[in-house]
Amino acid sequence: MNDINVGKTPLLQIEGLTKFFGGLRAVSDFNLSINSGELVGLIGPNGAGKTTVFNQITGIYLPTKGTVKFNGINLVGFEPHEITRTGIGRTFQNIRLFSNLSVLDNVRIAFHPQSGYSMFDSILSTSRFFKREQEIIEKAQELLEVMNLSRFQNEIARNLPYGEQRRVEIARALACQPQLLLLDEPAAGMNPKEIMQLMDMIHFVRENFKLTILLIEHQMRVVMGICEYITVMDFGEIIARGNPKEIQDNPKVIEAYLGKGAANAA
Amino acid sequence: MQSVSKPQKPPVIVSPNSFLAWIGKIFLLVIGLFAVYILAINLFDKPYLFAQNVINGIQLGFVYALIALGYTMVYGIVKLINFAHGDVFMVSAFVSFFAVERFALHQWPQRLFPGFNPSLSTVIGTVTTILLSMVICVLLAITIERVAYKPLREAPRIAALITAIGVSFFLEYFGLLNFVFSARYIPYQRPFEVVTWYIKDGIHLVESGVTPPDGAITISNILIIIIFATILVQIFLQYLVRRTKIGIAMRATSFDKPTARLMGIQVDKVISFTFAIGASFAALGGVLYAIAYPSIRTLMGVYPGLKAFVAAVLGGIGSIPGAFVGALIMGQAEAMTSGYISTPMRDAIAFSILILVLLIKPTGIFGEPEKEKA
Amino acid sequence: MDITAMIFSLVKIVAVIAYLYGLLWVLGVKLKKVEIAGKLVDPSLGVNIFGGVIAFGVIQLALTKFNGFSLLNDFDSGLLYQACTMTMVALGLNLIYGFNGQFSLGQWGFYGIGAYTAADITYRWVNGDSRGLVVVGVGVIIGGLVILLIGKFLSNLRRMPVLSSFTLYLIGSILAGVVAVYAGKLAAPLLDPFLGDSLNKGVLAQGLPMQVVFFLAVVFAGIFAAEVSFLFGLPVLSLGSDYFGIATLGFSIVVYTLMVNSDTILPFPEMKGGRGMIGIPKLTTWFWAFLFLVLVIVIMRNIIRSSTGRSILSVREDETAARSMGIDVARTKLMSFVIGSFFAGIGGGVYAHFIGFLSPGAFDFLVGFNPLIIIVFGGLGSMTGTITASFGWIFFLEGMLREILGKISPEAPSWRYVLYPLTLLLLMLVRPQGLLGSVEWGFLKSKIIPLRKSETREGVNNHE
């Protein structure tokens, strides 16, 4: 790995991550190191194990082996909600909004761990409750405004157009106050114009919120366009890593994506 | 933008072999040992009584197995707890009751052709009665499926469950009306005489009005019929599911409905067929249950239905051998509880076992491990 | 058919629903702040409380006998109390199922636990035995503390098998129970002399002290039901929706079985098993029914509108997404289950003391589907719907139909139980979200947050 900041502790350091489902090896000996502020892509064909890596980072699956260090703390064994609270936000491949709730509520839910009042404050309607609620509303509205969603504030989430739903999901992830944002195929189902907008947005969010971003993507053009480093997986293993240029020319990657014969034919 | 990241204590991960992880297992072990202890002292105290309880348990268990098949097949295919299944069981008992009591269907060959061999007449008549109950219950089940469940196939699963509860209630409370079945316990007239033998120094026939001596184990012909019928049904069902076209269609539908539809399987028909098959077995169970325990009432299907469902879950819902094994376990548990702990607690035990088994193996004894979630 | 009786019953139903909506409206009135003596004062709370008192007074007046005549007779007041308890139970279930999405059939069991616990406390109290109150009181308090302590201990552990946690909690609770029994034995000589017996009531068994004991009995019964639901819910909530439903149904059946055998399997001869517990002091007055009802409504509404409430909703919507938003899903489920059961326990306590007679038949699991049907009717996730449906259901089924069908023939009232599963079926087929959907009214309505006044900040995708 051509890492510039040698010596500095990486924000996220994954070592030897392995996951078995029964006898099936979904991810094997996965290593990845991300420094603060980087935008890293993780690509690979369908079924390569990308989402499984995400699910292990966020604690939805317990890794069979390996460590996931975030800010120097090993996250393995933490519950998903605790991992989110340490500063990792994520979106989902197939949008998972709270579809019967309003857009504002969707974002407000993500503020729950930071609500700063207990259930008894809410039952007794203390002044702290009203103050914190107001703060949460303001923060949530600010996020919606940044994501250009203000006018949808009181809409029910499922009634929004697809692109807007993706943005709500990102707003919701940002509400978790993450240092690291995990985006799972954000461009899935988008047309080229929307993909352009999405890439703009990812840049914008990264600058404005000082985020480190790890991005799973299926479509090469998105990753090539915005990522600084790329890791390529196939069949649960890393087959290549480097900057977009190196990846583009890597024969192994072409083979993984197009198959052996296709690589030759191309 | 402030960060919420706080320095956290590294979590203590409880390894599967540590004492903390074992606390739960020790708890189970204590319960298990206690049960074994109770059974053991009773076994050594009065072995014949123990054997009698085992036989009672087998009789119950085999009837539960007949009902459980319907639950497990329907759940396997549409993921619905068909609450009305227990009431189909009840309806079957009442159909056979009216057939025997009002129309003497159990003796029709003799009544039509006087001079017909009486025992052959009873056999043919009883089989006809059972078939009639099965046909009516199949029609009932298909009607229920078409009217109440089919429109909700795409709705949330709980909506269908609530509908199932509604159907079950309707059948029960409709039956409770005085001009229907009323709320009373009704003595059930058996289509044939129950013959009982006792085993002590050889097998002897129990004469009517004579109690068997102490230390004897009694068995009856109905027990043998129940065992025989259930095994027959199991074999038939295995054959149906493994070898026939409709069986393969059922398995395909339960595995993946949209794909099955794409393969040209008429999913709705397969589902109706599943309901029908399940109802016919429950109907068979209903008649046999009523002959074995000859006192019927409108709410008689509630507890056997629930216990059969528990049995299906226990064995691994969706699995046909699982339902059978689960039902046998339930039958034994119930017989032993009413024999040695307390009769009223037998209903409670069923559910305690269910909860314990689900906690240890959430997919049941024969259940397949869950697939990777998306 | 008696037309006037029918019209009268209908008027009663309409009146009671109108009354409820009025109550919810007055509790939710928001006024502008006014300046009094140079200070900005918010008069809303005063108006809400005053409105509540008026609402209480209206019915109280209607119940009071003037020259032996009162606007509402005993039958009506019975319906009223029944509707209040049913509302509490149904609200609790709506929290568990409608808001949190956990399909529970065990609500009726917790209702029964609450009823029997509260009834046993006051029954023993008026018969000169203080142990009921002391044992349950000390038990639930120590039990609660023990549960909190064990929870604290377990919060450092990860991947703890749920059965092990359950065993620890169970042992803790049993120990708390043992301590409570000893506390009861110690306190008995101190308190019993002031209680008198069933004929000569002592100082503490009448007047204000008795009312306080009643209040404590109901609250302790609620907490007891909540703690039982905690112990039960901890392992069972991890099973997943269908299995959770069937396990909770099993819970109701176990509770029912225990009630039938309360004098043989359980050591409570005064409950008299299947014959039914008689001689429970009839302490529920409109004051208490109204107070507990309003308390339950206010507590639940305040939870729902808070961040906790939103986390409860998020679990219903999508568990995985909720987890990834930092919400402790297991804890949220358990919490809503425990709070819901607490409401059921309170409802049970109030019910026991107005009916004065508890028979296990009233807690049969078949009857236990009623709250489920009510919340489905009213709308899952709608408090207004639940309240309306509870009152409407009691006044319609128990009031109007029973009265009117009873006049046609003695057989006819049993028809109502045939009609309502049919109605349920039709409703599920035609309008599965319930009559009111998730619409709320007045006090229960969440306030609509106005759009933010834009500060024209640079957002994303502005070049659309």
Side-chain angles (χ1 to χ4, degrees):
Chain A
M1 264 199 304
N2 35 8
D3 209 1
I4 315 153
N5 306 319
V6 186
K8 196 180 142 195
T9 7
L11 181 70
L12 181 76
Q13 188 163 29
I14 303 174
E15 277 171 6
L17 198 67
T18 304
K19 180 72 193 175
F20 284 92
F21 288 111
L24 180 79
R25 195 182 58 189
V27 174
S28 101
D29 199 25
F30 182 87
N31 298 300
L32 183 67
S33 162
I34 304 176
N35 288 317
S36 206
E38 283 179 341
L39 205 169
V40 177
L42 177 60
I43 63 172
N46 269 338
K50 296 163 298 185
T51 301
T52 311
V53 169
F54 260 34
N55 283 341
Q56 290 183 87
I57 298 174
T58 52
I60 291 174
Y61 298 150
L62 185 68
T64 311
K65 249 190 351 224
T67 57
V68 178
K69 278 192 178 156
F70 183 64
N71 276 328
I73 302 168
N74 186 2
L75 294 180
V76 172
F78 275 117
E79 297 287 331
H81 64 267
E82 294 172 311
I83 291 175
T84 305
R85 291 176 191 188
T86 58
I88 299 183
R90 77 170 287 184
T91 66
F92 294 90
Q93 186 177 340
N94 39 351
I95 302 176
R96 301 189 87 139
L97 287 177
F98 305 120
S99 48
N100 293 317
L101 306 181
S102 75
V103 169
L104 185 70
D105 278 348
N106 264 279
V107 178
R108 283 205 287 173
I109 283 167
F111 282 108
H112 177 62
Q114 325 154 38
S115 66
Y117 62 84
S118 70
M119 200 171 75
F120 296 98
D121 284 316
S122 59
I123 292 177
L124 301 173
S125 300
T126 58
S127 59
R128 188 197 298 178
F129 165 75
F130 288 112
K131 213 175 117 229
R132 299 283 182 170
E133 271 295 280
Q134 197 51 44
E135 281 173 23
I136 290 175
I137 291 172
E138 274 161 22
K139 280 196 226 161
Q141 286 183 330
E142 206 170 302
L143 270 176
L144 287 181
E145 190 155 328
V146 169
M147 300 307 286
N148 218 358
L149 288 162
S150 286
R151 63 210 148 102
F152 296 116
Q153 178 187 301
N154 293 326
E155 293 279 333
I156 300 299
R158 64 159 186 267
N159 296 340
L160 257 56
Y162 188 77
E164 268 71 20
Q165 292 199 10
R166 282 250 178 247
R167 291 221 298 270
V168 176
E169 235 198 355
I170 294 177
R172 198 177 64 169
L174 291 175
C176 300
Q177 314 284 14
Q179 287 173 284
L180 173 68
L181 184 63
L182 306 177
L183 299 174
D184 196 345
E185 301 211 11
M190 286 188 172
N191 61 35
K193 190 187 159 218
E194 287 172 327
I195 290 179
M196 290 302 292
Q197 291 178 354
L198 177 83
M199 283 158 67
D200 276 359
M201 181 175 70
I202 291 175
H203 273 300
F204 176 86
V205 163
R206 182 190 170 202
E207 297 302 316
N208 267 265
F209 293 87
K210 311 230 171 355
L211 288 174
T212 311
I213 295 178
L214 173 60
L215 182 114
I216 291 186
E217 195 40 80
H218 196 65
Q219 303 185 34
M220 282 286 206
R221 47 179 294 165
V222 180
V223 191
M224 295 302 166
I226 56 174
C227 292
E228 288 146 5
Y229 296 102
I230 295 173
T231 302
V232 190
M233 286 180 83
D234 196 15
F235 293 114
E237 292 182 30
I238 295 173
I239 56 169
R241 55 173 95 220
N243 59 35
K245 187 82 193 66
E246 293 164 5
I247 295 298
Q248 231 155 10
D249 303 335
N250 192 321
K252 269 181 158 175
V253 178
I254 299 169
E255 188 193 308
Y257 261 81
L258 301 171
K260 221 169 195 147
N264 295 338
Chain B
M1 190 60 48
Q2 97 270 24
S3 159
V4 285
S5 166
K6 286 169 239 127
Q8 263 176 305
K9 267 192 285 179
V12 180
I13 299 177
V14 178
S15 87
N17 296 318
S18 70
F19 172 69
L20 281 171
W22 268 91
I23 292 177
K25 291 176 189 160
I26 292 171
F27 172 68
L28 286 182
L29 209 66
V30 170
I31 295 180
L33 283 180
F34 183 67
V36 169
Y37 168 75
I38 288 186
L39 291 182
I41 45 171
N42 284 298
L43 174 62
F44 288 115
D45 185 27
K46 284 180 178 163
Y48 63 91
L49 202 61
F50 190 84
Q52 184 68 58
N53 278 326
V54 171
I55 288 171
N56 295 348
I58 287 175
Q59 183 166 325
L60 265 179
F62 274 75
V63 176
Y64 289 163
L66 285 174
I67 316 172
L69 288 174
Y71 275 114
T72 208
M73 285 193 299
V74 165
Y75 193 94
I77 216 155
V78 281
K79 301 280 173 287
L80 166 74
I81 302 175
N82 180 14
F83 263 91
H85 195 60
D87 301 301
V88 169
F89 167 86
M90 172 273 289
V91 167
S92 146
F94 274 93
V95 169
S96 66
F97 168 77
F98 285 117
V100 170
E101 174 102 5
R102 298 274 162 84
F103 307 105
L105 192 70
H106 60 303
Q107 289 295 2
W108 69 267
Q110 210 176 20
R111 288 183 13 153
L112 276 182
F113 314 105
F116 202 85
N117 181 341
S119 31
L120 192 61
S121 160
T122 310
V123 170
I124 295 176
T126 308
V127 170
T128 320
T129 312
I130 292 176
L131 286 178
L132 176 76
S133 297
M134 286 166 84
V135 168
I136 290 184
C137 287
V138 164
L139 291 179
L140 177 67
I142 291 180
T143 317
I144 294 173
E145 198 269 328
R146 280 289 146 94
V147 173
Y149 302 153
K150 197 176 163 208
L152 288 170
R153 201 139 300 153
E154 307 305 323
R157 266 165 56 197
I158 298 295
L161 185 59
I162 292 173
T163 322
I165 292 171
V167 172
S168 166
F169 266 44
F170 172 72
L171 290 175
E172 281 157 20
Y173 284 115
F174 186 72
L176 278 178
L177 293 176
N178 277 332
F179 73 92
V180 190
F181 305 145
S182 87
R184 283 173 295 122
Y185 281 95
I186 299 163
Y188 182 84
Q189 192 200 332
R190 289 163 165 152
F192 56 88
E193 281 310 304
V194 166
V195 188
T196 321
W197 298 274
Y198 70 85
I199 305 174
K200 192 183 186 186
D201 317 319
I203 300 176
H204 314 273
L205 194 71
V206 179
E207 310 286 343
S208 63
V210 182
T211 38
D214 259 5
I217 303 163
T218 56
I219 50 170
S220 61
N221 55 351
I222 183 67
L223 169 72
I224 294 159
I225 293 171
I226 287 175
I227 293 177
F228 187 67
T230 308
I231 290 175
L232 217 62
V233 161
Q234 281 286 336
I235 295 170
F236 168 71
L237 201 57
Q238 283 297 338
Y239 172 77
L240 183 90
V241 170
R242 305 265 160 220
R243 296 290 154 84
T244 62
K245 220 171 154 185
I246 183 85
I248 293 165
M250 278 164 72
R251 283 193 289 156
T253 310
S254 85
F255 195 72
D256 187 342
K257 235 172 281 165
T259 313
R261 198 170 274 131
L262 289 177
M263 296 290 135
I265 293 171
Q266 287 176 301
V267 169
D268 283 331
K269 279 201 176 142
V270 171
I271 292 173
S272 290
F273 180 76
T274 312
F275 271 88
I277 284 275
S280 68
F281 297 155
L284 175 61
V287 180
L288 294 177
Y289 186 85
I291 297 173
Y293 310 95
S295 165
I296 59 173
R297 71 177 193 130
T298 319
L299 297 180
M300 69 180 274
V302 177
Y303 278 103
L306 280 174
K307 283 173 195 160
F309 175 71
V310 171
V313 176
L314 204 62
I317 196 122
S319 149
I320 290 167
F324 183 61
V325 173
L328 289 191
I329 296 176
M330 289 298 297
Q332 290 304 328
E334 190 171 332
M336 293 300 166
T337 313
S338 37
Y340 297 128
I341 299 174
S342 102
T343 316
M345 285 312 285
R346 62 171 194 252
D347 301 331
I349 288 290
F351 286 96
S352 315
I353 292 179
L354 172 77
I355 293 168
L356 285 179
V357 167
L358 286 179
L359 286 173
I360 304 163
K361 197 166 184 302
T363 50
I365 298 169
F366 282 73
E368 281 157 23
E370 276 179 84
K371 283 172 282 182
E372 179 189 349
K373 53 186 163 180
Chain C
M1 203 199 297
D2 194 342
I3 295 289
T4 39
M6 192 162 122
I7 292 173
F8 195 55
S9 301
L10 267 178
V11 168
K12 260 194 284 190
I13 296 176
V14 173
V16 89
I17 305 259
Y19 171 79
L20 287 170
Y21 277 62
L23 175 66
L24 291 179
W25 174 77
V26 81
L27 287 177
V29 169
K30 278 269 169 271
L31 295 174
K32 287 216 177 83
K33 291 187 176 174
V34 289
E35 214 175 286
I36 298 173
K39 270 195 206 159
L40 269 182
V41 180
D42 187 1
S44 308
L45 189 65
V47 171
N48 300 154
I49 292 176
F50 183 69
V53 172
I54 294 280
F56 161 73
V58 167
I59 298 267
Q60 184 61 51
L61 209 62
L63 286 171
T64 316
K65 279 198 166 63
F66 296 104
N67 288 332
F69 174 80
S70 63
L71 199 58
L72 295 174
N73 56 24
D74 283 352
F75 183 68
D76 297 326
S77 69
L79 289 182
L80 212 52
Y81 295 152
Q82 230 174 319
C84 287
T85 56
M86 188 53 100
T87 309
M88 296 181 218
V89 179
L91 279 178
L93 184 62
N94 208 349
L95 182 65
I96 298 169
Y97 177 40
F99 288 92
N100 197 220
Q102 305 306 307
F103 182 68
S104 167
L105 295 168
Q107 192 72 351
W108 212 238
F110 295 110
Y111 176 57
I113 288 179
Y116 267 88
T117 312
D120 199 49
I121 293 175
T122 51
Y123 177 86
R124 282 174 185 249
W125 193 266
V126 295
N127 286 298
D129 183 356
S130 66
R131 279 179 305 166
L133 182 71
V134 178
V135 170
V136 176
V138 173
V140 295
I141 291 166
I142 296 186
L145 290 176
V146 166
I147 285 173
L148 288 180
L149 269 176
I150 296 176
K152 195 95 190 153
F153 166 68
L154 290 177
S155 68
N156 273 332
L157 304 175
R158 297 296 176 285
R159 308 281 158 182
M160 175 84 166
V162 68
L163 209 56
S164 292
S165 321
F166 169 74
T167 312
L168 285 180
Y169 281 118
L170 186 70
I171 293 171
S173 311
I174 290 173
L175 289 180
V178 172
V179 171
V181 170
Y182 275 98
K185 272 192 184 144
L186 285 179
L190 299 174
L191 284 171
D192 286 358
F194 301 104
L195 299 182
D197 53 39
S198 49
L199 297 176
N200 298 312
K201 290 209 168 86
V203 203
L204 290 180
Q206 52 185 320
L208 188 63
M210 193 63 227
Q211 295 297 318
V212 173
V213 168
F214 169 61
F215 176 76
L216 287 178
V218 173
V219 172
F220 286 159
I223 300 177
F224 182 64
E227 285 173 6
V228 173
S229 82
F230 175 84
L231 278 179
F232 178 73
L234 183 82
V236 171
L237 273 168
S238 64
L239 295 180
S241 71
D242 282 0
Y243 292 157
F244 176 67
I246 206 82
T248 44
L249 175 62
F251 177 81
S252 285
I253 291 176
V254 172
V255 170
Y256 172 73
T257 316
L258 289 178
M259 281 173 187
V260 174
N261 302 290
S262 52
D263 50 347
T264 50
I265 295 174
L266 296 180
F268 301 114
E270 72 278 8
M271 292 181 187
K272 297 194 186 64
R275 286 161 291 154
M277 183 173 185
I278 47 167
I280 304 161
K282 292 192 176 185
L283 293 164
T284 299
T285 52
W286 171 243
F287 171 74
W288 288 117
F290 183 81
L291 181 80
F292 279 115
L293 178 67
V294 170
L295 269 182
V296 164
I297 292 177
V298 169
I299 289 176
M300 181 153 160
R301 174 266 202 178
N302 282 358
I303 291 174
I304 294 297
R305 68 165 177 177
S306 73
S307 187
T308 314
R310 289 193 292 272
S311 71
I312 287 175
L313 282 171
S314 75
V315 170
R316 174 189 77 186
E317 294 291 315
D318 188 329
E319 281 186 28
T320 309
R323 258 189 206 108
S324 302
M325 295 304 118
I327 286 159
D328 188 341
V329 170
R331 194 186 137 97
T332 307
K333 283 185 191 173
L334 197 54
M335 190 176 66
S336 71
F337 188 51
V338 167
I339 297 173
S341 310
F342 173 70
F343 292 163
I346 297 245
V350 173
Y351 169 79
H353 290 92
F354 97 79
I355 201 106
F357 165 72
L358 287 181
S359 135
F363 302 98
D364 188 356
F365 76 97
L366 283 176
V367 195
F369 286 101
N370 292 352
L372 178 70
I373 290 162
I374 286 173
I375 65 166
V376 171
F377 261 101
L380 296 169
S382 161
M383 286 180 69
T384 315
T386 306
I387 298 168
T388 318
S390 305
F391 274 82
W393 191 81
I394 293 278
F395 274 81
F396 184 69
L397 268 181
E398 299 292 318
M400 182 171 164
L401 277 189
R402 178 180 278 189
E403 243 179 336
I404 289 168
L405 292 176
K407 277 174 187 152
I408 302 170
S409 84
E411 153 103 9
S414 41
W415 270 93
R416 62 210 159 109
Y417 289 112
V418 180
L419 289 175
Y420 90 86
L422 279 182
T423 332
L424 181 75
L425 272 177
L426 276 179
L427 191 77
M428 285 317 288
L429 296 176
V430 178
R431 199 177 153 77
Q433 69 270 44
L435 286 178
L436 282 181
S438 56
V439 178
E440 300 283 16
W441 163 260
F443 175 66
L444 303 172
K445 207 167 177 174
S446 57
K447 79 173 182 220
I448 291 174
I449 293 148
L451 297 183
R452 188 165 185 253
K453 298 209 176 50
S454 184
E455 293 157 21
T456 56
R457 252 180 71 167
E458 180 69 17
V460 287
N461 291 3
N462 270 344
H463 55 260
E464 275 178 278

